Amino acid sequence: MASLLQVTGLTKIYGKRGAATRALDGVDLSLEAGEYVGIMGASGSGKTTLLNCVSTIDKPTSGSILVEGRELTRLKGKELTRFRRERLGFIFQDCNLLDTLTAFENIALSLSIVGTPAGEIRPRVEETAQLLGIGDCLDKYPYQMSGGQQQRCAAARAIVTHPALVLADEPTGALDSKSARMLLERLEVLNRERGTTILMVTHDAFTASCCQRVVFLRDGQIFQELSRGELDRRAFFAQIIRVITQLGGEMEDVL
């Protein structure tokens, strides 16, 4: 079966010659449809650069990025905009909701942009909101919601269009522990019940333990991978901590 995401030989260099920084150095990574994969690494390891290249926010220096068999590095202009809008979903640390719109309107906006028929919008928004546990927040404005509710609204906005791949960059980074747990539970439900494919960057070992697989980056290269398999979350968390310990002081910020 072909991979949903196939990254091959991905390299990203910032600057020129003597001042050049190799943020990614020949990264190979693949995700099957329905996988939930975490990316971890110390600051400067390349994890955010990797996510930015896959999300088309940044352009790699060399290498290949295939999503559903399409080479993202060759897409330009309107074709790239359309692909990003229709096939990719984004969840950032800052939820970026529009303050003048209700939760319903923020979520519905994604459907309007991709041309969803008007009659389909309300049921799809409501179904997605219920899945993320914010069905009772749809008439509220962002300032009337808690931080966790806002982030789950942002997640609903990201997945309501049924994208091929959801990219999450530190989605729990600005949340308290209770709100973070609620968001992570909802993301697991999305992955399990809807088969949503998720690639998530995180610095937090507990957050990473929700994933089916965790890829560790070091100096722009893959250092190690862990698969959860049949392990429960506690056992997988312990494995993640062991790898962090191997990386030593480079990842003190995750402990």
Side-chain angles (χ1 to χ4, degrees), residues 48-224:
T48 297
T49 301
L50 173 59
L51 199 73
N52 286 345
C53 287
V54 173
S55 67
T56 73
I57 291 172
D58 207 349
K59 187 173 182 179
T61 303
S62 62
S64 172
I65 306 171
L66 294 174
V67 175
E68 295 184 313
R70 299 192 69 181
E71 177 57 70
L72 300 194
T73 62
R74 296 177 186 166
L75 298 181
K76 296 180 180 179
K78 291 182 179 179
E79 187 179 20
L80 175 59
T81 299
R82 181 176 180 181
F83 186 86
R84 182 190 293 137
R85 185 174 61 211
E86 296 180 358
R87 305 309 298 149
L88 300 178
F90 303 92
I91 308 173
F92 299 105
Q93 183 171 329
D94 184 350
C95 57
N96 293 319
L97 298 176
L98 295 175
D99 293 335
T100 57
L101 300 182
T102 63
F104 178 93
E105 292 165 341
N106 267 285
I107 300 167
L109 185 60
S110 292
L111 293 171
S112 298
I113 289 172
V114 298
T116 303
E120 296 180 15
I121 290 178
R122 178 165 292 277
R124 286 180 60 174
V125 170
E126 291 178 346
E127 185 265 339
T128 303
Q130 289 294 337
L131 197 61
L132 281 158
I134 54 167
D136 58 346
C137 295
L138 290 177
D139 292 330
K140 294 181 179 180
Y141 290 91
Y143 71 88
Q144 296 173 314
M145 295 187 284
S146 69
Q149 289 169 335
Q150 289 180 29
Q151 190 64 303
R152 280 180 280 149
C153 181
R157 180 183 59 188
I159 61 96
V160 72
T161 57
H162 301 304
L165 177 63
V166 172
L167 302 162
D169 189 6
E170 302 282 9
T172 62
L175 302 178
D176 60 52
S177 59
K178 181 180 178 181
S179 296
R181 286 174 184 265
M182 291 181 68
L183 175 63
L184 292 172
E185 287 172 2
R186 293 295 94 191
L187 291 179
E188 286 188 274
V189 168
L190 281 176
N191 174 254
R192 182 175 64 251
E193 296 187 4
R194 189 180 277 186
T196 302
T197 307
I198 304 171
L199 180 63
M200 176 175 64
V201 163
T202 181
H203 71 279
D204 181 67
F206 180 82
T207 298
S209 69
C210 295
C211 301
Q212 298 164 351
R213 180 159 56 103
V214 180
V215 178
F216 295 84
L217 293 183
R218 180 180 184 181
D219 298 330
Q221 298 180 324
I222 292 180
F223 172 76
Q224 191 169 336

Side-chain angles (χ1 to χ4, degrees), residues 243-255:
V243 176
I244 291 172
T245 302
Q246 290 175 26
L247 285 167
E250 296 177 19
M251 290 191 67
E252 287 181 355
D253 57 329
V254 308
L255 297 173

